[in-house]
Amino acid sequence: MSTLIQPRRTAADGPPGVNGAKLFNRLCAVCMTLFALIWLVPFGWAIVTSLRSDGSITQHPMSPLSGGWSLHAYAYAWDNYPIGTWYLNSLVIAALAVVFTVLFCSMAGFALAFLRFRGRAAVIALVTAGLMLPTEALVLPQFVEYRSLHLLGTYWALVLPSVAAPVSVFIFQAFFKGIPRPLIEAARIDGAGWWRIYRTVCMPICRPAVATVSILTFINSWNAFLWPLLVLNQTSSQTIPVGLASLLSNSNIQYAEVMASSVLGFLPLIAVFLVFQRQIVQGVATTGLK
């Protein structure tokens, strides 16, 4: 009786596909590192430049360690520019935009996910069209609209356009559609109306979607530049991006003070991201936002 002996697999051979998987993981790691450097280098360069003197920056722009570091530019920028007022304006506008966006977009997403009404397809088509239109194409019609409503120069001229965010409606609709249908039907059988289902059943479940929409709305509202530049015509009502742009002049640019003001402008966004980064990742994963 003969015995068939299989050749023993050596460690060098390894299971098929392992080398390819390792190579793919390393390639992904390299791409992620390069992508992170593209974003982090300007932040690091702005912080280092804000700690240098204007003379050192002009004489040795590519030597970040020459001339020594100090916080003089931060003190000068805070004492000579109304950065505190710009902070307060941006914070109030961003907070109002977050509250109204979450409220109205969640109700719109709930209606598109569960309710069946005449014209629902047309509403979905309009929301989809809103995703495709560039913001710059809506600037002139919105300016005429808000001028006719006498809202120019007020906070509402900045808050109301942020409320009509199609991407936020789609985030809430996608999350609501993921809720088990038997849960909604059980609430209906118990006599709950749509308002009660929205308030007591769906909204407590969709906290990741609320966190995602809140953070994206806050960041977009804080960084908005073109629309606040058009509708806010007073220095006391300007936001952080518009105020920082007014510091630049063609004749005498104080690089350290401008960089210090820029660092003060984006520090709140970094703080918000570091505090809520877990909710951002969870919300993106659960809603399928791309």
Side-chain angles (χ1 to χ4, degrees):
M1 181 175 182
S2 63
T3 303
L4 181 62
I5 300 176
Q6 296 290 338
R8 181 176 296 177
R9 187 187 297 275
T10 60
D13 296 336
V18 171
N19 292 333
K22 287 185 178 179
L23 181 61
F24 180 75
N25 291 337
R26 290 175 182 175
L27 182 61
C28 291
V30 172
C31 292
M32 292 178 61
T33 304
L34 292 176
F35 191 77
L37 288 176
I38 291 173
W39 286 97
L40 290 178
V41 167
F43 287 133
W45 188 265
I47 294 174
V48 171
T49 305
S50 66
L51 297 175
R52 302 172 62 190
S53 63
D54 287 331
S56 173
I57 297 172
T58 305
Q59 295 176 3
H60 306 286
M62 303 303 294
S63 299
L65 299 179
S66 63
W69 291 354
S70 69
L71 297 175
H72 172 74
Y74 288 91
Y76 181 86
W78 188 265
D79 294 337
N80 292 275
Y81 305 126
I83 295 179
T85 303
W86 297 341
Y87 261 115
L88 181 61
N89 293 332
S90 296
L91 185 62
V92 171
I93 293 170
L96 291 175
V98 167
V99 172
F100 285 102
T101 300
V102 170
L103 178 62
F104 288 102
C105 291
S106 62
M107 296 178 71
F110 180 86
L112 294 177
F114 296 116
L115 304 184
R116 296 295 179 267
F117 52 90
R118 183 177 298 178
R120 178 174 176 273
V123 173
I124 295 177
L126 287 175
V127 175
T128 306
L131 287 173
M132 300 177 183
L133 286 177
T135 307
E136 290 77 10
L138 302 176
V139 167
L140 182 57
Q142 284 184 342
F143 184 84
V144 175
E145 178 185 1
Y146 285 95
R147 185 180 61 182
S148 63
L149 296 174
H150 305 287
L151 292 177
L152 295 181
T154 65
Y155 287 161
W156 295 110
L158 299 179
V159 173
L160 294 180
S162 302
V163 173
V167 64
S168 300
V169 175
F170 273 105
I171 290 175
F172 279 111
Q173 184 196 13
F175 198 92
F176 285 138
K177 290 176 70 176
I179 297 177
R181 195 72 184 183
L183 181 63
I184 305 299
E185 293 175 353
R188 294 285 293 171
I189 293 174
D190 290 341
W194 286 116
W195 169 249
R196 186 178 176 184
I197 294 174
Y198 160 80
R199 183 171 53 87
T200 61
V201 177
C202 293
M203 288 304 290
I205 297 176
C206 67
R207 288 179 181 175
V210 173
T212 304
V213 171
S214 300
I215 294 167
L216 292 179
T217 304
F218 185 88
I219 293 174
N220 291 332
S221 179
W222 188 277
N223 287 332
F225 174 74
L226 179 59
W227 183 245
L229 179 65
L230 294 177
V231 300
L232 298 179
N233 50 13
Q234 297 180 359
T235 305
S236 58
S237 60
Q238 288 179 347
T239 58
I240 281 287
V242 180
L244 295 179
S246 65
L247 303 181
L248 299 176
S249 63
N250 296 326
S251 57
N252 183 21
I253 300 177
Q254 297 176 330
Y255 297 99
E257 285 76 11
V258 171
M259 286 296 177
S261 303
S262 301
V263 172
L264 292 175
F266 66 69
L267 279 181
L269 294 182
I270 296 179
V272 168
F273 177 77
L274 293 178
V275 172
F276 297 102
Q277 58 177 334
R278 186 175 180 180
Q279 286 78 6
I280 293 177
V281 175
Q282 185 178 3
V284 170
T286 53
T287 59
L289 177 66
K290 296 180 175 64

